[in-house]
Amino acid sequence: MDAQGRGRGDDIDPADQWVFDPNTGTYELRLDPGGSPPAQPADRRAPAPRRGSGDTPRPAGGRDTPAPGSRTGQNGSGSGTPGKDTETRELPAQRDRRAGNRAAPPGGGTPSRRKPKPKKSAKKKALYWTSGALGFVLVAGCGGAFYLYQQLNGNISKVDVGKENPAVKDGPVNILVIGTDARSGKGNQGYGDSGSVGHADTTILMHISKDRSNTTALSIPRDMITDIPDCPTKKDGTTRTIPGQRNVRFNTSLGQEDRDPGCTWRTVEKMTGLSIDHFMMADFNAVKELSEAVDGVEVCAAKPIDDPKSHLHLPAGKSVVKGEQALAFVRTRHSVGTGSDLSRIQLQQQFLSSMIRKMKSGDTLTSVPKLYDLAQAATKALTVDTGIGSAGKLVDLAKDLSRVDIKNITFATVPVLDNPKDPATVVLDEAKAGPLFQMIRADHSLTKTKTKKGKGTSDDKKVPKAPADQVRVDVSNGGGPFGAAQETVDWLQNSKAAKLSTNAGNAPTKLAATRLEYAPNQAGQAATLAEWMGLPKSALKKTTADAGPKVPMKLILGKDFEGPGKSIEAPTKTPDGVQNVNADDQNVCAK
């Protein structure tokens, strides 16, 4: 936002170029005052005539430069003769602290009187400016950081991953945040392997709920063994498909074999079953510059940290880190916890939570210079998908996400187990990860909240469950895995002794969710089968009329069906053993 070369002096503050637009309720960048409307009158009195000028009136709308030493009165007041059509100096809209006098409209008439608007406080002004620009901030260490912030398009880098989703949509939003360990570029040299191509060193999947009431930030360990699917990538106008790999480290989903962020995008979708909307990627330098821009981030250590590899030296207790020290904090691991990447993830989550609190604080929100520095640092470090590849789209997304309260942002880590084949890597803990992914897919919050107990209705009354030998059901496949209907029938007959279950083949239509259709007089059978299958209440569809004595219920297996005995109903609370921390918890210390 350069004021030079546009007819203005060197003393113009860039912050004054942000102009409040009453039509949108936000501040906008205005670089050229040429198209700005002239200052509006505050009363009917004409200003004093210019010294050295004649009394000859000029056409309405004319303007001139005041003679040296002349000035217009504050708030439009002056000592000139009423009725004189003298000229006033036109001021840029963003500097409109004085009111001028509008010439009479063509054909005569009296100029309108406009009452000056009350001046906003500095805090309210800053809140207006940031309300549409700042959604929330996430700084991912080991080479990653990002802000959702309004800034010039020229600062933002884009990658076409073959998917271009709208910036704002109804329903949940999933954003993949990637911190790359690339060592190239200004400020990134001198960290570890200078030849790194830039892997997915830190990856966080942000799930923002449909009602924008909560957010889950899911950290994915970089050394987890997983499968990477085939990945189409675009380079120099041509598209080629990079073959997938099985049983490799997750961080090789980026950089290795020239994979772009779209490969990490597809890998996370395959792993979690969640559909990703956007990605944001940043490097080492972002952590340093963003922490400097907010004048430091408070962190806590339960014991002194002295890590010669990351060059981090901190006393026990709370400290404020920024710049190189902030980067060292999110990269250290040898002096905390188990010394593994999992311990480093917890440090990163502590740092991110504290950064979000700092960003939401009045100290930052009321400081236009800080906000300006943050916008510069963030957008220069940011690479995004084409769906949000402009300042306007980023602002739209930020406005949509800004409703999330910090107390409802929860960080968690994908549960893993030690890899018996390679102690330097980990493998997915299916028993815990499955329910966790299912919970997020169902848009359930990981934040612990108090729930109010309702009075209940007659439908909430427990129905006596029917014995297994009375459960009569036809099972059809409406979107489940191949052979799911027969597999389910075999399971019901052999494991549950439900001998009256039969395979009804393929359903006429595909269903996204499994459904059980039953009659009122089959409620006991339905209750038994729902418990066996782990069906949620939404899967139960009761008809209006009773069924005959030998008419079976209908179980249609949908796309959410993973296998008999695997609950379809998503948990409503965080599964036991899943590491998690609330972003508003200020008592977290590295151990």
Side-chain angles (χ1 to χ4, degrees):
M1 298 188 293
D2 186 10
Q4 312 304 321
R6 297 181 181 268
R8 283 176 280 181
D10 296 343
D11 61 343
I12 291 181
D13 187 341
D16 286 336
Q17 295 175 270
W18 290 95
V19 185
F20 180 70
D21 185 345
N23 295 321
T24 63
T26 61
Y27 276 73
E28 297 178 353
L29 177 63
R30 185 170 298 172
L31 296 177
D32 187 356
S36 304
Q40 301 298 316
D43 56 37
R44 303 187 186 189
R45 289 177 293 172
R50 295 182 295 112
R51 293 180 183 177
S53 67
D55 293 337
T56 305
R58 295 185 54 165
R63 61 181 180 178
D64 199 356
T65 305
S70 66
R71 59 178 299 188
T72 345
Q74 293 290 343
N75 300 325
S77 63
S79 57
T81 305
K84 281 287 184 183
D85 188 13
T86 53
E87 304 86 43
T88 56
R89 183 165 68 94
E90 182 181 53
L91 299 177
Q94 66 267 36
R95 309 285 276 186
D96 191 9
R97 300 186 181 99
R98 306 173 184 176
N101 195 27
R102 181 180 297 172
T110 304
S112 62
R113 180 187 297 270
R114 181 171 294 179
K115 184 177 181 180
K117 294 183 179 180
K119 189 175 182 180
K120 297 181 180 67
S121 66
K123 183 175 182 179
K124 189 173 183 181
K125 181 178 179 180
L127 288 173
Y128 262 117
W129 189 61
T130 59
S131 63
L134 178 61
F136 61 90
V137 56
L138 179 66
V139 183
C142 291
F146 88 94
Y147 278 91
L148 292 175
Y149 209 87
Q150 179 174 335
Q151 189 46 267
L152 302 178
N153 290 332
N155 282 354
I156 303 169
S157 299
K158 295 176 287 187
V159 174
D160 185 353
V161 297
K163 299 182 180 183
E164 185 163 344
N165 297 320
V168 178
K169 71 167 192 176
D170 294 330
V173 176
N174 296 305
I175 301 174
L176 190 64
V177 183
I178 305 171
T180 172
D181 61 354
R183 267 70 174 181
S184 61
K186 182 180 179 181
N188 291 319
Q189 298 89 353
Y191 300 106
D193 181 12
S194 60
S196 174
V197 295
H199 295 110
D201 199 60
T202 297
T203 305
I204 299 178
L205 177 60
M206 304 289 301
H207 172 82
I208 301 91
S209 66
K210 179 179 180 179
D211 61 4
R212 306 298 186 260
S213 67
N214 64 86
T215 292
T216 296
L218 192 61
S219 296
I220 303 175
R222 67 176 189 177
D223 296 323
M224 183 178 66
I225 298 300
T226 190
D227 296 337
I228 300 174
D230 293 347
C231 176
T233 61
K234 294 184 178 181
K235 188 175 183 180
D236 299 328
T238 60
T239 301
R240 73 182 183 97
T241 298
I242 301 175
Q245 288 182 288
R246 294 179 59 84
N247 298 320
V248 293
R249 290 178 190 247
F250 171 80
N251 68 342
T252 61
S253 63
L254 177 68
Q256 202 80 4
E257 309 295 335
D258 290 330
R259 294 188 177 104
D260 67 9
C263 299
T264 307
W265 178 317
R266 291 170 173 83
T267 301
V268 175
E269 285 189 332
K270 180 179 176 63
M271 178 196 309
T272 64
L274 287 158
S275 179
I276 294 174
D277 299 289
H278 303 290
F279 87 86
M280 297 180 179
M281 182 173 70
D283 57 19
F284 282 133
N285 212 37
V287 177
K288 296 188 291 183
E289 294 194 1
L290 291 171
S291 60
E292 290 277 8
V294 295
D295 198 24
V297 177
E298 186 178 82
V299 296
C300 181
K303 60 181 181 180
I305 297 178
D306 187 8
D307 187 353
K309 293 190 175 182
S310 68
H311 307 292
L312 179 65
H313 307 284
L314 286 180
K318 293 184 177 180
S319 302
V320 175
V321 296
K322 59 183 176 180
E324 294 286 352
Q325 198 176 32
L327 180 58
F329 183 84
V330 297
R331 294 186 66 238
T332 193
R333 63 187 175 94
H334 295 288
S335 298
V336 294
T338 60
S340 68
D341 184 55
L342 298 178
S343 296
R344 176 162 53 190
I345 285 176
Q346 294 183 35
L347 286 180
Q348 293 166 1
Q349 292 175 351
Q350 181 195 152
F351 182 86
L352 303 180
S353 298
S354 183
M355 177 67 112
I356 293 172
R357 292 195 300 270
K358 187 67 174 286
M359 281 297 306
K360 294 273 190 178
S361 70
D363 179 56
T364 300
L365 289 177
T366 57
S367 174
V368 173
K370 280 186 181 179
L371 295 173
Y372 176 78
D373 289 345
L374 283 169
Q376 287 284 9
T379 52
K380 286 180 179 179
L382 198 62
T383 299
V384 300
D385 61 280
T386 52
I388 51 174
S390 71
K393 290 179 179 179
L394 279 174
V395 169
D396 289 342
L397 178 62
K399 287 180 180 178
D400 184 41
L401 305 185
S402 62
R403 291 176 280 168
V404 180
D405 194 309
I406 187 173
K407 67 182 180 181
N408 293 328
I409 299 176
T410 301
F411 287 90
T413 304
V414 172
V416 292
L417 300 169
D418 291 336
N419 185 0
K421 298 180 180 180
D422 180 6
T425 62
V426 292
V427 295
L428 191 67
D429 185 345
E430 296 279 0
K432 296 176 183 176
L436 177 62
F437 295 155
Q438 189 180 28
M439 183 178 180
I440 298 174
R441 288 197 300 268
D443 203 25
H444 293 168
S445 174
L446 269 66
T447 303
K448 297 175 183 178
T449 57
K450 295 180 180 180
T451 56
K452 296 181 180 180
K453 295 182 178 181
K455 294 182 178 180
T457 64
S458 57
D459 292 337
D460 296 326
K461 295 179 180 179
K462 291 185 177 181
V463 177
K465 295 182 179 66
D469 60 0
Q470 293 182 15
V471 176
R472 187 186 298 268
V473 61
D474 283 352
V475 182
S476 59
N477 192 350
F482 180 79
Q486 186 58 50
E487 182 185 10
T488 301
V489 169
D490 291 342
W491 179 78
L492 288 172
Q493 291 184 354
N494 298 326
S495 299
K496 299 299 181 181
K499 302 300 182 182
L500 300 180
S501 55
T502 57
N503 183 355
N506 291 327
T509 57
K510 300 291 185 182
L511 298 178
T514 298
R515 186 169 70 203
L516 175 61
E517 300 175 358
Y518 67 100
N521 60 336
Q522 295 172 326
Q525 297 179 51
T528 301
L529 186 59
E531 183 180 64
W532 290 344
M533 298 290 295
L535 299 178
K537 289 183 179 180
S538 59
L540 306 182
K541 306 297 178 183
K542 184 168 62 174
T543 62
T544 56
D546 285 344
K550 293 187 178 183
V551 175
M553 300 182 293
K554 294 181 180 180
L555 176 64
I556 305 102
L557 305 177
K559 293 181 180 179
D560 60 346
F561 179 77
E562 297 180 353
K566 295 184 178 180
S567 177
I568 295 174
E569 184 173 18
T572 56
K573 65 177 182 178
T574 307
D576 292 338
V578 174
Q579 179 272 333
N580 65 94
V581 62
N582 188 270
D584 203 31
D585 188 349
Q586 302 182 34
N587 299 314
V588 177
C589 285
K591 298 180 180 179

